[in-house]
Amino acid sequence: MNKKALFLAFVTIQFFISCNSNNTFNQMLDDYYEDGLKLNPMAATVAGDNRYNNSFPNTLSDEYQAELKAYYSSYLEKLTQFIDEDLTENQKMSKAVLRWNCDINLKRLTFKEDFFPIDQMWSVNLRIGQFASGASAQPFKTVEDYHAWLERLDGYSDWMGSAEEKMREGMAAGAVLPKSLIVKVIPQLQALTVEDLDKHLFF
């Protein structure tokens, strides 16, 4: 085999290796997205993916926190398998963004933010109320939709129990939200404790 043929053979092999690496990288990104939906089923519902409409994991549980840590750690490890030279410019950017996302979320898990599960703007109790209204992402078109919603509420009930426990832990540790914020939360919760159940948002 002459040098030109040898060079062409080498280039061809490198091309196929690069293509395989690109495909594997794209599959890894797809897996990251899919695994993320399982961990955050409400985000899936918002995205129009109805596979997890009945799911509401207890994000305050130790088991869930361990799952999150394993999720981000495993994808950080998978990223090390891909060499920048084998990736397209878009894939290099995706790699950098994914690494940053995994890093920042692993750092976030080291903070005791579960001491503050409820606030006046972004907490789960507000989002579940939006879903219950029928004007948000949660569908209420079929009997199956309603059964899925009831299952999701069971998970929400477990979360609320954990939220109380975590806030009591925070109180004991002196880690609480400012009073100016909490006084805005109280009427939000009171709106969900009406005695006439026919007028309850969830009903």
Side-chain angles (χ1 to χ4, degrees), residues 56 58 60 118 125 155-165 167 189:
F56 193 105
N58 188 346
L60 299 174
I118 291 177
N125 56 296
Y156 173 64
S157 180
D158 292 338
W159 183 89
M160 286 294 286
S162 294
E164 180 180 358
E165 293 174 4
M167 286 190 288
L189 295 177

Side-chain angles (χ1 to χ4, degrees), residues 104-133:
I104 200 70
N105 277 289
L106 284 172
K107 291 176 182 177
R108 181 175 60 84
L109 290 173
T110 65
F111 295 101
K112 279 293 184 180
E113 64 178 9
D114 54 348
F115 283 167
F116 319 105
I118 291 177
D119 60 50
Q120 84 287 7
M121 289 191 66
W122 309 113
S123 54
V124 171
N125 56 296
L126 297 178
R127 178 176 288 190
I128 203 73
Q130 293 170 348
F131 276 31
S133 70

